[in-house]
């Protein structure tokens, strides 16, 4: 009885040992391939011990170990980063697709940059054309100040009467006086011969006007 109980306790301890080692490996972050090597060594030792203590139990454990060994081998193989043939093919295909997409995206970006440059050039040329057209239109359309200057202004009635007294009643001459907002007092007392020339009258009317101005000023100073 005592031998059977002792044998049972030894078997239980040996069965629990791999689980204890696995938990210790996880706590210490042991890599899978090292876990497999240690676990394999421990299981061989356990099999040998069980073969001596309990041959029947050792036979069962060897079968379980065979299954466990195959599983651990797969885990170690996956952890080692060595891909299978199918995985390699898929990775190669994905890389090829990624390369194609990268090349297509690069080509699209180059076309986009070219299109933006062409748009910028067209906009620049359009702006130049519109600016040139605007300058041309300004030459034909009078400014607001020109429109104000061209509006007919009333002439000083005294000036008009004085000019008419010696035959100056031409519309263009009278309108020029009105445009410059000159009054009779301005003409007979302040205007100079140079000022009359600036009004661009014909020589005949200008001479008669200047003659009358001088007569008035001489008479005034007598």
């Amino acid at each position: 009885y005592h031998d059977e109980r002792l044998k049972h306790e030894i078997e239980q301890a040996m069965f629990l040992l791999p689980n204890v080692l696995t938990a210790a490996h996880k706590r210490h972050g042991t890599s899978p391939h090292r876990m497999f090597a240690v676990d394999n060594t421990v299981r061989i030792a356990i099999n040998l011990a069980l073969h001596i203590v309990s041959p029947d139990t050792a036979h069962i454990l060897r079968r379980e170990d065979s299954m466990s060994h195959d599983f651990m081998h797969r885990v170690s193989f996956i952890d080692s980063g060595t891909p299978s043939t199918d995985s390699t093919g898929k990775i190669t295909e994905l890389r090829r697709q990624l390369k194609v997409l990268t090349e297509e995206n690069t080509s699209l970006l180059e076309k986009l940059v070219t299109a933006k440059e062409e748009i910028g050039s067209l906009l620049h040329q359009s702006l130049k054309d519109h600016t040139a057209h605007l300058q041309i239109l300004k030459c034909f359309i009078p400014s607001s100040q020109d429109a104000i200057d061209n509006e007919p202004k009333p002439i000083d009635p005294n000036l008009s009467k004085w000019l008419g007294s010696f035959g100056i009643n031409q519309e263009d001459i009278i309108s020029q006086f009105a445009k410059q907002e000159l009054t009779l007092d301005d003409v007979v007392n302040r205007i100079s011969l140079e000022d009359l020339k600036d009004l661009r009258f014909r020589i005949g009317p200008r001479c008669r006007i200047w003659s009358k101005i001088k007569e008035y000023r001489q008479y005034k100073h007598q």
Side-chain angles (χ1 to χ4, degrees):
Y1 173 75
H2 292 290
D3 291 341
E4 290 295 326
R5 181 178 179 183
L6 179 60
K7 185 173 67 172
H8 180 69
E9 289 179 356
I10 293 172
E11 290 175 354
Q12 290 294 322
M14 290 183 179
F15 279 121
L16 291 174
L17 182 58
N19 294 331
V20 173
L21 288 174
T22 301
H25 286 317
K26 290 182 178 179
R27 285 199 303 272
H28 290 84
T30 306
S31 59
H33 67 279
R34 290 184 179 179
M35 290 174 60
F36 171 73
V38 173
D39 184 74
N40 191 41
T41 302
V42 170
R43 288 182 182 275
I44 291 173
I46 291 172
N47 283 332
L48 291 174
L50 285 175
H51 182 73
I52 296 170
V53 175
S54 179
D56 294 336
T57 305
H59 176 73
I60 296 173
L61 185 60
R62 277 198 299 272
R63 187 173 61 183
E64 292 178 351
D65 277 348
S66 177
M67 297 173 61
S68 176
H69 175 79
D70 182 64
F71 173 76
M72 290 299 293
H73 176 72
R74 293 186 182 184
V75 170
S76 176
F77 182 79
I78 293 171
D79 181 72
S80 65
T82 305
S84 65
T85 304
D86 292 341
S87 298
T88 302
K90 290 180 180 179
I91 292 172
T92 302
E93 177 62 19
L94 288 173
R95 286 177 178 173
R96 187 192 67 78
Q97 293 179 7
L98 179 61
K99 182 179 180 181
V100 172
L101 289 174
T102 301
E103 292 175 351
E104 290 179 353
N105 289 339
T106 301
S107 177
L108 289 174
L109 285 174
E110 291 175 351
K111 291 180 181 179
L112 178 62
V113 171
T114 302
K116 285 185 175 292
E117 289 176 350
E118 291 178 355
I119 291 173
S121 178
L122 290 173
L123 288 174
H124 183 69
Q125 184 61 43
S126 178
L127 179 61
K128 288 178 63 177
D129 293 342
H130 279 77
T131 302
H133 293 161
L134 181 61
Q135 294 299 327
I136 294 173
L137 288 174
K138 284 182 177 179
C139 295
F140 292 97
I141 299 176
S143 64
S144 57
Q145 185 61 43
D146 292 338
I148 293 173
D149 292 342
N150 292 329
E151 289 180 358
K153 294 180 176 59
I155 189 168
D156 178 12
N158 294 325
L159 176 59
S160 179
K161 184 177 179 181
W162 179 75
L163 290 171
S165 66
F166 51 90
I168 303 298
N169 51 16
Q170 293 91 334
E171 184 66 28
D172 59 333
I173 296 176
I174 294 174
S175 63
Q176 190 66 10
F177 277 110
K179 185 177 180 180
Q180 300 300 325
E181 299 182 0
L182 293 169
T183 64
L184 176 61
D185 183 64
D186 295 329
V187 173
V188 297
N189 291 312
R190 301 180 185 85
I191 202 169
S192 65
L193 180 59
E194 292 301 321
D195 294 333
L196 283 177
K197 290 180 180 179
D198 290 340
L199 294 175
R200 301 183 181 280
F201 296 152
R202 290 183 295 277
I203 296 176
R206 184 172 71 232
C207 289
R208 290 195 293 272
I209 293 171
W210 183 242
S211 177
K212 288 297 181 180
I213 290 173
K214 290 195 296 182
E215 288 180 6
Y216 175 83
R217 292 176 181 175
Q218 288 174 358
Y219 174 78
K220 183 179 179 181
H221 288 88
Q222 288 182 355

